[in-house]
């Protein structure tokens, strides 16, 4: 399957609803974000290993999370779990030069490779890569319009809720029972009240916290 066929499939299946998300995914070369030997599989709709026990999410999940969070032009986004940098690159295309993506990765080698890749592909001006405990967010850059978490938490980290702007949305996988994860959409109302929607069962690597 090539990139155009993959995007057409994701539109047909309802994972991509907005033109700007389709255009973003068409612009970002997923093959640049996977190990060289896996490039032939870059446009298959499945996760792929990227080293250090981590994976690049399946394209349908990247699209679904961006749509679920309602990420749009001009948004300031926090991503927890940089991985290869692919998800950050797609979000950077959606937020445009008026927006910014701050992404945090706990594994220094992955963060360094993602940073180099994002800069080489022209996203250095709108994606900033941090190394650290993602469950703590990036307080010095908060608050954020949207937060995307690409690893499964045992519960929604309080620190991330604090860093979400009133009126903002967080999309995060939560392990509700051993081996069973659900993707949550968390709305923070303008007066700070939290409302949680359960979206669908998922399978992500665990969110590892230093504390």
């Amino acid at each position: 399957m090539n990139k155009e066929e993959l995007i057409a499939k994701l539109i047909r299946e309802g994972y991509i609803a907005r033109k700007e998300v389709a255009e973003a995914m068409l612009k970002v070369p997923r093959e640049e974000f996977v190990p060289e030997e896996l490039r032939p599989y870059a446009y298959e709709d499945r996760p792929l290993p990227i080293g250090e026990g981590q994976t690049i999410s399946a394209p349908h999940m990247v699209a679904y999370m961006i749509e679920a969070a309602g990420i749009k032009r001009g948004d300031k986004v926090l991503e927890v779990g940089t991985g290869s940098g692919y998800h950050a690159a797609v979000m950077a295309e959606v937020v445009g030069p008026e927006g910014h993506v701050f992404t945090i990765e706990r594994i220094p080698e992955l963060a360094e490779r993602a940073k180099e890749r994002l800069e080489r592909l022209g996203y250095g001006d709108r994606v900033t890569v941090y190394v650290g405990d993602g469950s703590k967010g990036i307080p010095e850059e908060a608050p954020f319009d949207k937060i995307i978490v690409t690893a499964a938490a045992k519960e929604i980290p309080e620190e991330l809720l604090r860093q979400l702007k009133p009126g903002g949305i967080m999309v995060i996988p939560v392990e509700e029972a051993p081996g069973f994860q659900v993707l949550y959409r968390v709305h923070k109302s303008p007066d700070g009240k939290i409302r949680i929607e359960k979206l669908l069962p998922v399978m992500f690597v665990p969110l590892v916290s230093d504390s």
Side-chain angles (χ1 to χ4, degrees):
M1 192 181 294
N2 64 30
K3 189 195 288 187
E4 290 71 22
E5 289 166 343
L6 171 65
I7 303 309
K9 173 179 177 283
L10 297 182
I11 292 169
R12 275 197 315 276
E13 292 174 351
Y15 291 108
I16 296 178
R18 291 182 292 145
K19 182 164 146 283
E20 52 266 48
V21 178
E23 286 173 351
M25 293 192 73
L26 280 167
K27 280 182 186 165
V28 178
R30 190 172 186 250
E31 68 275 11
E32 294 283 347
F33 294 86
V34 301
E36 197 152 342
E37 66 275 15
L38 297 177
R39 285 186 170 198
Y41 311 104
Y43 295 106
E44 289 187 7
D45 189 18
R46 60 183 173 108
L48 294 168
I50 55 169
E52 315 295 338
Q54 304 299 300
T55 58
I56 180 174
S57 292
H60 77 268
M61 188 51 61
V62 172
Y64 185 84
M65 292 178 88
I66 291 170
E67 292 280 13
I71 292 171
K72 63 184 190 306
R73 201 165 185 86
D75 273 350
K76 182 180 176 185
V77 180
L78 169 64
E79 177 190 38
V80 174
T82 311
S84 68
Y86 174 70
H87 205 147
V90 177
M91 292 191 290
E93 288 285 359
V94 176
V95 303
E98 308 94 319
H100 202 88
V101 177
F102 295 89
T103 181
I104 183 164
E105 171 57 56
R106 69 181 179 85
I107 301 170
E109 295 79 6
L110 283 183
E112 195 49 50
R113 290 202 291 268
K115 183 173 187 287
E116 178 277 321
R117 199 177 285 126
L118 289 160
E119 286 176 355
R120 177 166 50 80
L121 294 171
Y123 296 107
D125 62 336
R126 63 182 96 158
V127 180
T128 305
V129 180
Y130 281 76
V131 177
D133 179 350
S135 68
K136 307 283 195 300
I138 310 174
E140 62 269 36
E141 301 292 356
F144 301 97
D145 299 299
K146 309 284 162 58
I147 298 178
I148 294 276
V149 183
T150 63
K154 296 287 187 190
E155 56 191 21
I156 300 167
E158 284 294 330
E159 190 54 46
L160 296 185
L161 287 174
R162 273 194 287 276
Q163 292 176 34
L164 186 62
K165 254 187 203 172
I169 295 173
M170 171 163 44
V171 174
I172 177 171
V174 174
E175 187 177 36
E176 292 196 333
F180 181 68
Q181 302 171 6
V182 174
L183 194 65
Y184 286 8
R185 176 161 49 198
V186 182
H187 299 260
K188 190 177 197 177
S189 69
D191 62 0
K193 287 197 177 71
I194 299 298
R195 178 169 62 86
I196 295 169
E197 276 179 89
K198 296 185 182 188
L199 299 177
L200 74 169
V202 288
M203 185 51 67
F204 282 83
V205 296
L207 179 65
V208 177
S209 173
D210 295 337
S211 55

